[in-house]
Amino acid sequence: DDMDVSTIWMNGEYVDWDDAQIHVLSHGLHYGTGIFEGVRAYDTDRGPAIFRWEEHLERLYNSAKPYNMDIGYTPEELTEATIEVIKRNDLDGCYIRPIAYYGYDSLGVSPQDNPTDIAIAAWPWGTYLGEDALENGVDVMVSSWRKHASSQIPTNAKTTGLYVNSLLAGEEARRNGYVEAIVLNKEGNVAEGPGENLFMVRDGKILTPGLSQSILDGITRDTVITLARERGYEVDDSAVISRGELHTADELFFTGSAAEVTPIRKVDNVVIGEGTRGPVTEELQTAFFDLVERRTDDHEEWFTYVDEQ
Ligand code: PMP
């Protein structure tokens, strides 16, 4: 029985965690030519429920397009592999990481001879930005690094190579004693976090940078926009937010599959609002966790129940 063996799906096969290895001359390692997803499954009354799997899959296939990458498996095959990985590893709540990348053959930048390799792994992953981040919020700094412009690298494709920018911004922040960064785009307007979208509350209205601001089209961003509108909030989802507006915001928060809904209490040591999780953030955060942990019947269409597949 391999139920207690950690299993990763790789190129059509279920392999042991320790055997899920690649050649050191793989194209993706040298040139950052991987595309990937970060997805959460939540522990619910009906067993593990993958949140917005369809949308994550769609983004995965879209991320492959600018790189002319053929994923080589159908969405149905990737869904089946993911369900099986969760079952074989006996996971309940977990983080799911599908990745496709140009593999090993030649090392020219052109990947014409390289295969597309693909893997899906899953493991338990707690709060992304620390234990008390969800309740008390995080202190962030505006990074001195700018985000790559969407005219330089497609920022709507979730590409491995993009994350060197995320690392630079995030580690700069952490070296300076902050938990996370906010990254401005090339125009100097607010884009997003290294692995999160950003929301601002001002005078009861909710704003978030638009897709033209060189951001990833976050699935949690879309979820929170939907939840906010359902609760009667006016949401501007194509906002252009200047750096100075961060400081005068009533509330700020991050969203992401890993970060979920995380309040921001200070930016560059300037206290935001009351310096605690604000009321709108709390309302939306509660709505988010009630949704994903299935304490409501809302949006059944967003859930894939592993045990029922
Ligand atoms: N922006 C970036 C750069 C990210 O890496 C992520 C995490 N995938 C997000 C935003 C949030 O996207 P999502 O809500 O789809 O996880």
Side-chain angles (χ1 to χ4, degrees):
D1 185 354
D2 57 5
M3 281 307 274
D4 20 86
V5 174
S6 290
T7 299
I8 292 175
W9 180 85
M10 225 178 154
N11 296 328
E13 286 171 43
Y14 297 95
V15 300
D16 286 354
W17 187 279
D18 292 340
D19 297 330
Q21 302 198 359
I22 64 169
H23 198 280
V24 73
L25 297 184
S26 295
H27 193 281
L29 175 64
H30 292 252
Y31 306 122
T33 52
I35 51 131
F36 69 106
E37 274 303 318
V39 190
R40 275 192 196 262
Y42 288 89
D43 188 15
T44 74
D45 285 349
R46 289 163 64 185
I50 311 176
F51 182 51
R52 303 199 73 174
W53 175 246
E54 300 296 327
E55 290 83 350
H56 282 281
L57 260 189
E58 188 183 350
R59 192 170 64 186
L60 186 75
Y61 283 91
N62 281 337
S63 292
K65 287 183 183 170
Y67 305 104
N68 211 22
M69 182 185 280
D70 178 7
I71 287 188
Y73 291 86
T74 64
E76 292 73 28
E77 287 169 325
L78 298 190
T79 302
E80 190 195 318
T82 301
I83 303 273
E84 193 61 24
V85 162
I86 295 171
K87 285 183 178 170
R88 287 188 185 219
N89 292 301
D90 211 7
L91 293 162
D92 36 49
C94 62
Y95 183 82
I96 305 158
R97 170 56 58 85
I99 182 166
Y101 52 92
Y102 283 122
Y104 169 63
D105 188 275
S106 60
L107 265 184
V109 170
S110 171
Q112 55 191 5
D113 299 325
N114 301 73
T116 298
D117 288 334
I118 181 161
I120 301 171
W123 62 87
W125 201 356
T127 318
Y128 185 60
L129 292 174
E131 272 296 293
D132 72 351
L134 293 176
E135 197 177 326
N136 296 318
V138 292
D139 294 346
V140 306
M141 84 176 262
V142 175
S143 180
S144 68
W145 294 100
R146 296 293 174 89
K147 203 177 151 70
H148 19 61
S150 56
S151 58
Q152 297 170 313
I153 299 189
T155 50
N156 61 337
K158 197 167 163 62
T159 311
T160 58
L162 297 186
Y163 285 80
V164 293
N165 177 264
S166 295
L167 177 149
L168 289 167
E171 293 310 295
E172 178 189 37
R174 286 181 274 278
R175 274 197 302 274
N176 283 283
Y178 300 90
V179 173
E180 189 59 305
I182 290 175
V183 192
L184 306 180
N185 61 25
K186 210 160 154 271
E187 293 72 37
N189 297 314
V190 174
E192 59 183 349
E196 306 89 358
N197 290 111
L198 184 103
F199 283 77
M200 178 166 103
V201 181
R202 188 174 61 200
D203 300 330
K205 187 177 159 185
I206 298 170
L207 302 93
T208 192
L211 299 182
S212 65
Q213 299 300 300
S214 299
I215 64 164
L216 186 74
D217 187 0
I219 291 162
T220 321
R221 174 183 182 277
D222 179 73
T223 303
V224 166
I225 291 168
T226 304
L227 294 177
R229 287 186 177 143
E230 286 171 353
R231 280 155 186 78
Y233 286 102
E234 189 185 331
V235 183
D236 178 357
D237 62 4
S238 49
V240 178
I241 298 175
S242 66
R243 180 174 181 169
E245 288 176 278
L246 294 173
H247 296 149
T248 55
D250 297 328
E251 301 179 31
L252 293 173
F253 60 90
F254 281 135
T255 63
S257 299
E260 298 169 308
V261 178
T262 301
I264 296 170
R265 62 182 173 196
K266 281 185 192 169
V267 177
D268 294 332
N269 281 321
V270 175
V271 174
I272 307 307
E274 305 294 316
T276 57
R277 174 176 59 186
V280 178
T281 305
E282 185 169 357
E283 182 184 352
L284 295 175
Q285 191 188 51
T286 302
F288 177 81
F289 283 107
D290 283 349
L291 175 82
V292 295
E293 290 165 0
R294 303 316 285 137
R295 286 187 290 275
T296 160
D297 294 334
D298 291 355
H299 294 292
E300 271 300 331
E301 74 281 5
W302 282 345
F303 295 87
T304 304
Y305 294 93
V306 171
D307 293 346
E308 295 167 21
Q309 306 296 314

